[in-house]
Amino acid sequence: MKASNFEISAIPTNIITGFLGAGKTSAILHLLKSKPDNERWAVLVNEFGEIGIDGSLFEGKHSQGQGIYIREVPGGCMCCAAGLPMQVALNQLLTKAKPDRLLIEPTGLGHPQEVLNILSSTHYHDVLSLQKTLTLVDARKLSSKQYTSHETFNQQIAIADTVIGNKSDLYREGDSANLTSYIKNNCQPQVNVIFAQHGVIETSYLNGATAAIRPAAHHHHHQAQSKPLASQLAIPECGFIKACNEGEGFKSIGWRFSPTKVFYRHKLISFLSKLPKLQIERVKAVFITNDGIFAYNLTTDMLTEEELDDCLESRVEMIATELPESLETQLMTCLQA
């Protein structure tokens, strides 16, 4: 292990990025399954919404006893506010985990070049060894200007050492070729292109120094948080707390529920299954139900459900360009009386 006597040095570090629904979390979960048993890995995960779901999802699948340490930075792009939220979380994670490898997952609406700039700053020069940046892309999205004209989508591709055409089992004829062509016009010439299904990628793709380090202007304009995030607040007597966020052309809405609140599993599945018809782009959730604890992952393609060992409370986050006002009422009907 590189970290000994509380000294942390040259930790292999990878950014794993991609737009909403590209499969970043699935890819990281698969990589964690392939982690060498004698290594400690740390994951710093960033979420657009304030609620924070991925931390609960990762912790429900992996534990510190397995050598896996998780830290969340919810509430928008973690490099905002001069990078302070990210640096505080990263420093605390490194001190606690003393990892053999660090994986960083920026939000799908974040700006990975700015994250990379922070990681390559003098402060982390001796602490981190920046390895390959992996960008997951759903090649089918190249047919939509909502994606190809989005600055963040293109920045994620531009900084990649390896572009992973994920969900290739769902591609139509020509989708793979379109992605390869798009990458040639928007990436470094030496970028590696591979295709994957369900986020299944090899740990060998993590190895090797990144070629993507270069200065970039900080173009986005989020304000620094002047109040605690909803993920940090105590849940009031009503039994839940709601939070909203907005930026990069998208909106988010999320809820945290007291652990005493139990949901009907069959009603949840029915509710979540109808959300694509409402143009909801992305949903992540962890629910305490009458049948146990389950994680839900909804993209424009499908809804998946996976049983978890444990969670502290129910949480759900939704992202779309527009969010119907009726969502909270519909969600509450899934609660047990």
Side-chain angles (χ1 to χ4, degrees):
M1 185 180 295
K2 294 180 176 60
S4 60
N5 298 324
F6 297 96
E7 294 182 1
I8 301 173
S9 174
I11 299 168
T13 300
N14 301 89
I15 294 176
I16 300 179
T17 188
F19 214 68
L20 296 173
K24 300 183 296 299
T25 302
S26 296
I28 291 175
L29 285 169
H30 176 77
L31 288 168
L32 293 178
K33 290 180 182 178
S34 305
K35 177 190 73 67
D37 292 338
N38 64 337
E39 290 188 0
R40 296 153 68 99
W41 283 22
V43 182
L44 183 66
V45 57
N46 176 213
E47 295 190 58
F48 179 66
E50 287 191 21
I51 296 298
I53 307 295
D54 281 341
S56 298
L57 177 59
F58 285 129
E59 290 167 355
K61 298 287 292 180
H62 301 282
S63 68
Q64 294 181 16
Q66 298 169 300
I68 294 171
Y69 295 77
I70 312 295
R71 184 64 191 264
E72 277 183 321
V73 184
C77 183
M78 64 182 166
C79 62
C80 295
L84 185 59
M86 173 183 172
Q87 292 180 52
V88 170
L90 177 55
N91 294 345
Q92 292 175 345
L93 178 61
L94 294 177
T95 300
K96 182 176 183 179
K98 303 177 182 61
D100 295 282
R101 183 172 294 276
L102 170 66
L103 304 179
I104 295 182
E105 180 193 347
T107 168
L109 295 171
H111 296 76
Q113 180 63 61
E114 281 79 6
V115 173
L116 191 59
N117 289 346
I118 292 173
L119 298 177
S120 59
S121 67
T122 304
H123 181 74
Y124 293 111
H125 185 267
D126 296 326
V127 177
L128 306 178
S129 173
L130 296 180
Q131 304 284 291
K132 300 290 187 183
T133 295
L134 309 185
T135 298
L136 280 77
V137 180
D138 182 347
R140 297 171 299 165
K141 303 299 186 182
L142 296 177
S143 62
S144 170
K145 287 187 176 180
Q146 181 184 17
Y147 292 83
T148 56
S149 63
H150 202 291
E151 180 184 356
T152 298
F153 178 83
N154 288 308
Q155 187 187 104
Q156 290 165 348
I157 292 176
I159 73 159
D161 295 293
T162 299
V163 172
I164 300 166
N166 196 29
K167 304 185 178 183
S168 61
D169 52 314
L170 303 176
Y171 291 0
R172 299 176 295 272
E173 184 177 356
D175 285 341
S176 296
N178 287 342
L179 178 59
T180 302
S181 176
Y182 194 84
I183 290 166
K184 280 185 178 180
N185 294 325
N186 292 276
C187 287
Q188 309 163 81
Q190 69 271 28
V191 69
N192 186 31
V193 183
I194 62 174
F195 292 89
Q197 300 177 14
H198 312 295
V200 177
I201 56 178
E202 302 298 325
T203 55
S204 59
Y205 296 145
L206 300 173
N207 299 328
T210 181
I213 300 174
R214 57 183 182 272
H218 198 86
H219 294 301
H220 55 308
H221 302 286
H222 299 310
Q223 294 184 354
Q225 290 288 341
S226 58
K227 59 183 179 61
L229 297 175
S231 60
Q232 303 167 333
L233 297 174
I235 297 175
E237 289 186 8
C238 66
F240 72 93
I241 189 170
K242 180 174 73 172
C244 300
N245 195 13
E246 186 172 356
E248 301 299 315
F250 287 85
K251 299 177 181 179
S252 74
I253 186 169
W255 296 265
R256 292 173 53 213
F257 292 88
S258 165
T260 60
K261 298 289 187 181
V262 178
F263 289 79
Y264 286 113
R265 182 183 172 196
H266 70 283
K267 289 187 176 181
L268 278 176
I269 294 173
S270 176
F271 165 64
L272 294 171
S273 298
K274 296 174 182 176
L275 292 179
K277 296 179 181 179
L278 301 177
Q279 306 301 311
I280 305 298
E281 186 85 13
R282 196 76 174 89
V283 180
K284 287 186 179 182
V286 177
F287 283 111
I288 299 171
T289 81
N290 59 314
D291 290 330
I293 299 169
F294 293 89
Y296 295 93
N297 191 349
L298 177 69
T299 66
T300 52
D301 293 314
M302 67 183 72
L303 171 68
T304 61
E305 178 191 60
E306 189 168 9
E307 189 166 12
L308 299 181
D309 294 332
D310 195 15
C311 76
L312 296 176
E313 61 189 33
S314 296
R315 297 186 175 201
V316 57
E317 195 94 54
M318 305 179 189
I319 300 177
T321 53
E322 293 295 334
L323 292 162
E325 294 182 1
S326 62
L327 286 173
E328 182 171 304
T329 300
Q330 296 179 57
L331 178 60
M332 296 305 175
T333 62
C334 302
L335 278 167
Q336 285 186 344

